[in-house]
Amino acid sequence: MKSFLIFGAIIGFLFVFVKRIQSKGEKDMVKQWIQNGAVVVDVRTQSEFAEGHYSSAMNIPVDVLPSQINRLKDKGAKIIVYCRSGARSERAKQILQASGYSSVLNAGGLSDMP
């Protein structure tokens, strides 16, 4: 039983360590894409956007994204999506990729933006 607990603790530590490395890499990629002119899309509601948003972001709530997808003209452009926690932006990423947008990155929440 003791060895099982030690093994579980080691696996847990490795999981957290790997997630931190991935998170740092993703944050670095978001920053690099923004520096290179990526389109930043806030997929939260209009009222959430009005309360505060990333400075260069456009607001297209995920619920209306399919009907307003034409606002994102270049399907080859790098697009960064974010919301409050990352769940809606993941859904937006899937919608965009299914519509032919090839370079979409889920940045997570507004607090994760550089």
Side-chain angles (χ1 to χ4, degrees):
M1 182 68 166
K2 185 177 180 181
S3 62
F4 180 73
L5 290 174
I6 292 171
F7 180 74
I10 291 170
I11 295 297
F13 172 77
L14 289 174
F15 177 77
V16 169
F17 182 72
V18 168
K19 282 305 275 180
R20 284 191 179 175
I21 290 171
Q22 285 178 330
S23 178
K24 171 136 177 49
E26 290 170 0
K27 286 183 179 187
D28 289 344
M29 186 178 289
V30 168
K31 187 175 182 179
Q32 181 182 21
W33 279 26
I34 289 171
Q35 289 172 345
N36 291 327
V39 176
V40 179
V41 182
D42 184 325
V43 298
R44 299 174 302 154
T45 64
Q46 290 178 343
S47 61
E48 287 174 301
F49 185 80
E51 290 174 5
H53 57 273
Y54 191 74
S55 63
S56 64
M58 65 186 326
N59 182 224
I60 308 176
V62 69
D63 293 337
V64 298
L65 181 58
S67 66
Q68 293 189 14
I69 206 162
N70 62 342
R71 291 177 59 191
L72 303 169
K73 301 187 184 324
D74 181 4
K75 289 190 175 189
K78 292 183 189 275
I79 300 171
I80 298 169
V81 291
Y82 75 88
C83 59
R84 186 185 73 229
S85 67
R88 287 177 284 179
S89 50
E90 184 60 30
R91 194 168 65 173
K93 176 183 172 182
Q94 292 170 0
I95 291 168
L96 290 167
Q97 288 176 328
S99 298
Y101 291 84
S102 57
S103 298
V104 184
L105 186 60
N106 177 0
L110 174 58
S111 63
D112 297 316
M113 294 294 287

